[in-house]
Amino acid sequence: MKQGPDVGSQYRSAIFYHSEEQKAIAEKVTKEVQEKHYPNAAIVTRIEPATTFYNAEEYHQFYLDKNPEGYACPTHYLRW
């Protein structure tokens, strides 16, 4: 529900799958990463079926190409 200074449900991470095989792979990899890299903290990325996809507005497309300075995340927002 948060990425840097951006807060809200639109900022949560998710893996979208199109088949049961993709879902199984996502669950397997998430479990492996959880056990190997984050044994004491839950991975909260949702695994959900893909639905209708909407492209972002044009000004969001290829954001870093259009904004070579990138996106800065001030360190005071990084509270792991």
Side-chain angles (χ1 to χ4, degrees):
M1 302 287 276
K2 179 177 180 177
Q3 289 184 11
D6 302 320
V7 179
S9 61
Q10 70 272 33
Y11 297 104
R12 67 179 175 252
S13 61
I15 298 170
F16 298 101
Y17 61 87
H18 293 273
S19 67
E20 289 303 312
E21 178 184 17
Q22 288 180 341
K23 179 182 180 184
I25 291 167
E27 290 172 340
K28 178 180 183 274
V29 171
T30 300
K31 183 178 184 219
E32 290 171 359
V33 171
Q34 175 78 63
E35 292 171 352
K36 182 174 182 180
H37 299 286
Y38 303 99
N40 299 315
I43 292 178
V44 295
T45 299
R46 295 173 138 186
I47 300 173
E48 302 180 349
T51 59
T52 304
F53 179 83
Y54 299 94
N55 285 323
E57 295 84 357
E58 180 59 35
Y59 64 91
H60 286 300
Q61 301 295 326
F62 305 101
Y63 181 84
L64 293 177
D65 290 341
K66 295 174 184 174
N67 299 275
E69 297 300 314
Y71 177 79
C73 182
T75 57
H76 67 276
Y77 289 113
L78 301 176
R79 296 190 181 120
W80 309 102

